[in-house]
Amino acid sequence: MKKVSILIPCFNEQESLPLMYDALCNLTKEPHALEYEWEFLFINDGSKDRTIDILRSLHNSDSRVNYIDLSRNFGKENAMLAGFDYVTGDCTVIMDADLQHPPIVALDMLSKWEEGYEDVYAKRRTRGKEPWLRKKLSLLFYKVLNKMSQVEMLQNVGDFRLLDRRCVEALRKMRESERYTKGLFCWIGYKKAYVEFDSGDRVAGETSWNMWKLFKFATKGVISFSTSPLHLATWLGLLVSAVAFIYMLFVLVKTIIFGDPVAGFPTLLCVILLLGGIQLLCIGIIGEYVALMFNETKKRPVYLVREHNGELE
Ligand code: UDP
Ligand code: MG
């Protein structure tokens, strides 16, 4: 019998967890699901509420439930890596704990997996309730990122997907601490297929993402998957130098031929400010990469586990 692991990162999900668990139980009662052995692996990502107590009691009452308690909040990306390290299934389905990813879709994914696909991702047909601006900015982000990076990032595709054991092993090899898993999924390749689903709304609790966090996450995506901003800095430098050179010739000719006294304190100020701005921008871009390298060179563990299925690590 093939084993399917469901990987669920949880951060402050005490309200959603019981509903999530019910949905998982319903899933495994489906006729098609009876052909598989199931594991539900919950990663408690340093929740401040009763999430861990709920997980402990679920584990005690149901042998299919496993959990890992991280030593603090490491973020969803790192929590997912922890999950990849501990899953035991022949394939793994990643889902959010808030039921925005309907567990039943896993069955469609499994049939694709049986057809031989190794990475079956779920594509959102609709996006559920979300602020208008966030939706627009997200679309813009994918456009920009795809222009800049070598791997193709898919739009309207999140972390909800089924991964074959092979993909999980590949992802485990990538221990970068600044993780952008959505990009890594594309980077590893393998045979991909998709299923469509309607994203629901959060059943309970609050989303932990605000606009600023999303913006920082988006920059992380660009910086870790593309060196285009660095090239942009080079081209911008060349362009500005060229324009400055032409302007210099223009001023020289004007002075020599027409004898114009060179006036223009405001022009001078504008040019100085513009150049100053561009220089700072370019240094900033380089700084982003240096910061990323600084974080990576420390080679710190990406997460720390305090407790695994009731045993302290
Ligand atoms: N999550 C996590 N660590 C975090 C933030 C979120 O493990 O630091 C989990 C969260 O419990 C949920 C999933 O990641 O299962 C998606 O989070 P959320 O629903 O807040 O994000 P959204 O759906 O709004 O993108
Ligand atoms: Mg959510």
Side-chain angles (χ1 to χ4, degrees):
M1 219 190 221
K2 289 179 189 161
K3 186 168 179 183
V4 182
S5 295
I6 308 261
L7 164 55
I8 308 146
C10 312
F11 176 58
N12 293 346
E13 299 283 7
Q14 60 179 10
E15 281 101 12
S16 333
L17 271 185
L19 299 169
M20 181 67 190
Y21 177 68
D22 287 345
L24 288 175
C25 289
N26 288 339
L27 164 69
T28 52
K29 280 180 208 134
E30 294 285 322
H32 184 45
L34 298 174
E35 301 159 21
Y36 299 98
E37 191 188 337
W38 294 84
E39 172 195 39
F40 311 141
L41 177 64
F42 293 88
I43 319 291
N44 178 32
D45 186 16
S47 303
K48 299 260 184 297
D49 61 1
R50 292 185 45 252
T51 299
I52 186 63
D53 302 324
I54 297 174
L55 291 181
R56 282 194 193 111
S57 69
L58 286 178
H59 171 69
N60 289 336
S61 62
D62 185 342
S63 61
R64 294 171 302 180
V65 176
N66 292 324
Y67 69 89
I68 300 168
D69 186 27
L70 301 185
S71 64
R72 64 169 169 85
N73 179 251
F74 283 92
K76 183 183 177 187
E77 306 295 308
N78 300 13
M80 279 195 286
L81 179 67
F84 296 147
D85 287 339
Y86 283 83
V87 284
T88 52
D90 298 302
C91 71
T92 301
V93 183
I94 310 168
M95 279 179 201
D96 282 1
D98 55 9
L99 284 174
Q100 273 185 314
H101 299 160
I104 204 77
V105 179
L107 293 180
D108 299 342
M109 293 176 168
L110 279 170
S111 41
K112 287 273 177 199
W113 180 55
E114 294 289 359
E115 284 171 30
Y117 293 100
E118 290 149 323
D119 177 0
V120 186
Y121 56 89
K123 205 171 174 170
R124 269 175 294 204
R125 219 176 285 133
T126 52
R127 288 177 66 112
K129 259 195 242 119
E130 218 180 352
W132 177 84
L133 186 66
R134 180 170 157 175
K135 227 179 262 188
K136 287 281 167 229
L137 284 178
S138 153
L139 290 182
L140 179 73
F141 164 69
Y142 282 107
K143 269 215 186 97
V144 173
L145 189 57
N146 274 327
K147 281 260 147 54
M148 289 171 115
S149 71
Q150 285 77 27
V151 285
E152 196 202 350
M153 310 275 172
L154 297 161
Q155 177 183 307
N156 271 335
V157 175
D159 299 323
F160 186 22
R161 59 175 70 219
L162 179 147
L163 297 166
D164 184 77
R165 188 77 224 165
R166 266 197 215 108
C167 300
V168 173
E169 291 303 331
L171 289 165
R172 287 184 62 192
K173 287 193 191 124
M174 291 184 257
R175 312 301 293 189
E176 55 216 73
S177 47
E178 301 279 331
R179 298 184 75 76
Y180 184 70
T181 316
K182 269 199 214 22
L184 296 179
F185 291 139
C186 301
W187 190 92
I188 57 170
Y190 290 105
K191 273 179 78 182
K192 293 190 193 307
Y194 70 91
V195 296
E196 285 191 311
F197 80 109
D198 292 304
S199 174
D201 297 326
R202 231 174 194 288
V203 279
E206 290 270 305
T207 172
S208 46
W209 294 89
N210 54 35
M211 283 299 251
W212 175 239
K213 263 196 181 170
L214 280 172
F215 176 72
K216 283 205 299 194
F217 187 59
T219 357
K220 187 159 113 180
V222 173
I223 302 283
S224 50
F225 272 89
S226 158
T227 48
S228 302
L230 288 171
H231 304 306
L232 182 82
T234 316
W235 291 112
L236 207 62
L238 278 178
L239 182 76
V240 171
S241 309
V243 171
F245 186 72
I246 293 169
Y247 184 65
M248 194 177 76
L249 287 181
F250 169 74
V251 172
L252 208 69
V253 168
K254 213 170 83 167
T255 318
I256 290 171
I257 297 179
F258 301 102
D260 260 7
V262 188
F265 177 70
T267 334
L268 204 63
L269 198 66
C270 291
V271 171
I272 289 177
L273 285 180
L274 177 75
L275 284 185
I278 290 177
Q279 282 173 357
L280 284 181
L281 177 77
C282 294
I283 295 176
I285 291 176
I286 298 172
E288 294 289 337
Y289 285 89
V290 174
L292 194 83
M293 283 156 62
F294 173 66
N295 284 336
E296 294 298 346
T297 48
K298 285 190 271 194
K299 292 254 176 277
R300 287 188 182 160
V302 184
Y303 63 86
L304 291 172
V305 176
R306 182 168 55 208
E307 188 186 324
H308 177 213
N309 285 344
E311 279 167 41
L312 293 182
E313 292 257 317

